[in-house]
């Protein structure tokens, strides 16, 4: 039972263009969402997060949008750079108890020069 | 400020054996969480330790056990290894069970043959 879904396993974009990574969730108790980036042989690195009280959070080239009614979030990277090539994980949590993260399967982003 | 360090980085074990993985939390962090990442999947929560007590457990059998020490470092023990236990094991540390500053180590790659 996948509570966090990243339905596209991969995405390829040209350098300088926008990358849009999507994530859907099923558990209404989730109230905090995070994106992690992972390079081979490294642990996941925190990228950006959003609380359910917001619908948008921006940090430099990275913006996360949250649509609670659709249980959908997306990560926009503008402009995309070759160094952004990595596996991106969407994660969700229901705060207030054990602060575990529920992850999607990940999406491999390739940014071509 | 040191990050999260895990040892060993790679390990090969035989089915039925026992294994111990180690994690040193980031300086100032008192909470350690363990995740299992199988090939092609996102990380799955195993359990969390806060101030030496287990603070939540995922859907893993009792042969997965853990420990947290007074210096907040942690161990993950797996008994009676099965082939399906082959995965990347990730440790993450944070402060006071929170998700802010949740930092992952690079993981231990366990192969069970």
């Amino acid at each position: 039972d996948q509570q966090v879904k990243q339905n596209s396993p991969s995405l390829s974009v040209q350098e300088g263009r926008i990358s849009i990574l999507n994530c859907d969730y099923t558990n209404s108790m989730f109230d905090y969402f995070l994106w992690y980036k992972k390079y081979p042989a490294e642990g996941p690195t925190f990228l950006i997060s959003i609380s359910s009280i917001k619908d948008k959070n921006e940090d430099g080239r990275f913006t996360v949008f949250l649509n609670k009614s659709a249980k959908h979030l997306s990560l926009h990277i503008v402009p995309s750079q070759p160094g952004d090539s990595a596996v991106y994980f969407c994660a969700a949590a229901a705060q207030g108890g054990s602060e575990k993260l529920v992850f999607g399967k990940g999406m491999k982003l390739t940014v071509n020069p | 400020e040191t990050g999260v360090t895990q040892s060993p980085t790679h390990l090969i074990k035989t089915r039925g054996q026992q294994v111990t993985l180690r994690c040193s939390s980031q300086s100032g962090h008192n909470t350690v969480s363990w995740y299992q990442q199988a090939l092609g999947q996102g990380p799955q929560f195993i359990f969390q330790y806060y101030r030496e007590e287990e603070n939540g457990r995922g859907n893993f059998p009792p042969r997965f056990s853990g420990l947290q020490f007074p210096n907040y470092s942690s161990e993950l023990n797996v008994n009676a290894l099965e082939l399906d236990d082959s995965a990347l094991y990730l440790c993450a540390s944070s402060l006071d069970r929170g998700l802010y500053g949740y930092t992952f180590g690079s993981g231990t790659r366990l192969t069970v043959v």
Side-chain angles (χ1 to χ4, degrees), chain A residues 43 89 93 98-99 101 103-105, chain B residues 35 37 41-42 55 97 99 105:
Chain A
F89 291 98
S98 167
E99 303 295 6
L101 294 176
F103 283 85
K105 288 187 177 183
Chain B
Y35 288 80
Q37 186 183 4
Q41 303 294 316
N55 180 56
R97 299 172 294 174
L99 291 171

Side-chain angles (χ1 to χ4, degrees), chain B residues 35-55:
Chain B
Y35 288 80
Q36 180 197 66
Q37 186 183 4
L39 202 60
Q41 303 294 316
Q44 272 201 293
F45 177 74
I46 303 175
F47 41 56
Q48 182 183 82
Y49 279 85
Y50 170 63
R51 297 194 172 192
E52 303 178 61
E53 299 279 336
E54 188 178 289
N55 180 56

Side-chain angles (χ1 to χ4, degrees), chain B residues 59-79:
Chain B
N59 190 23
F60 281 81
R63 58 190 186 83
F64 285 78
S65 63
L67 209 55
Q68 186 179 34
F69 300 99
N71 67 355
Y72 303 127
S73 66
S74 177
E75 285 183 356
L76 164 65
N77 299 291
V78 187
N79 292 323

Side-chain angles (χ1 to χ4, degrees), chain A residues 29-34 36 46 48-53 57 66 73 91-95 99-102, chain B residues 98-102:
Chain A
M29 298 301 292
F30 290 148
D31 57 5
Y32 191 64
F33 305 89
L34 308 91
Y36 281 84
F46 171 75
I48 193 169
S49 64
I50 188 166
S51 163
S52 60
I53 61 172
N57 190 26
L66 175 62
L73 60 153
Q95 297 188 91
E99 303 295 6
K100 72 173 188 180
L101 294 176
V102 179
Chain B
L99 291 171
Y100 181 78
Y102 209 84

